[in-house]
Amino acid sequence: MVTQVLIIEAPFYHHITEQLVAGAVAKLEEAGVSFDHITVPGAFEIPGVIAFSELAQENHPIASRHYSGYIALGCVIRGETSHYDYVAGESCRALMNLTLEGVAIGNGILTVENEAQALVRAGVDQKNKGGDAAEACLRMIGVRDSLMQGRI
């Protein structure tokens, strides 16, 4: 059962991530799921916040917030240096590692060649990748919970 989801936004390209957040929020509200929303400096920091949250929940079972899943939202645009490769690759790797530990995550971190690609993917009226990330998160929560309860 979904209790609450945490949206983690890296607003380095705020005009792009605000669209991702709008798409995710719309899907969560449509599903009747409550959520919190925080921001971090960049995509690289998103997995750390998820790890911090999971650790806090593990060490303090009566914590005021317990998240059933997480939605990671950000944008990494290729530039002139290899920085893109490190940020895109390592944030994705860290999110996958958390998923393999049983954390339900919808990955909406865009990795694109240019701003035009990002705007199309982020646009609520276009590809709506924020909404897709919210749907993925909710589906993964359902699958994980079904497996844990022996329903699958």
Side-chain angles (χ1 to χ4, degrees):
M1 180 176 152
V2 179
T3 57
Q4 190 143 345
V5 170
L6 179 60
I7 298 171
I8 307 162
E9 175 193 4
F12 191 82
Y13 299 102
H14 181 70
H15 63 293
I16 295 168
T17 60
E18 71 184 350
Q19 289 292 304
L20 292 169
V21 171
V25 166
K27 290 292 181 180
L28 293 175
E29 289 177 345
E30 180 182 308
V33 174
S34 62
F35 61 90
D36 289 325
H37 173 215
I38 64 170
T39 62
V40 296
F44 200 77
E45 290 76 30
I46 291 173
V49 171
I50 296 170
F52 296 158
S53 176
E54 288 291 301
L55 184 61
Q57 292 176 78
E58 182 180 311
N59 291 329
H60 302 284
I62 58 169
S64 62
R65 293 284 189 250
H66 178 82
Y67 298 107
S68 299
Y70 303 87
I71 302 170
L73 301 175
C75 180
V76 184
I77 299 175
R78 187 178 301 280
E80 297 175 1
T81 69
S82 59
H83 182 72
Y84 166 91
D85 297 311
Y86 293 111
V87 173
E90 289 302 312
S91 61
C92 188
R93 180 198 54 78
L95 291 175
M96 181 54 70
N97 286 348
L98 288 162
T99 299
L100 294 174
E101 292 176 10
V103 181
I105 301 171
N107 184 356
I109 300 175
L110 303 178
T111 53
V112 296
E113 298 295 320
N114 54 57
E115 183 178 1
Q117 288 178 348
L119 290 169
V120 168
R121 285 161 178 74
V124 176
D125 59 344
Q126 295 186 53
K127 294 198 178 215
N128 193 12
K129 294 301 178 183
D132 290 350
E135 287 180 3
C137 175
L138 296 176
R139 181 70 178 121
M140 291 303 290
I141 291 168
V143 168
R144 180 198 58 209
D145 292 353
S146 291
L147 287 167
M148 291 178 74
Q149 296 169 8
R151 290 184 280 148
I152 294 179

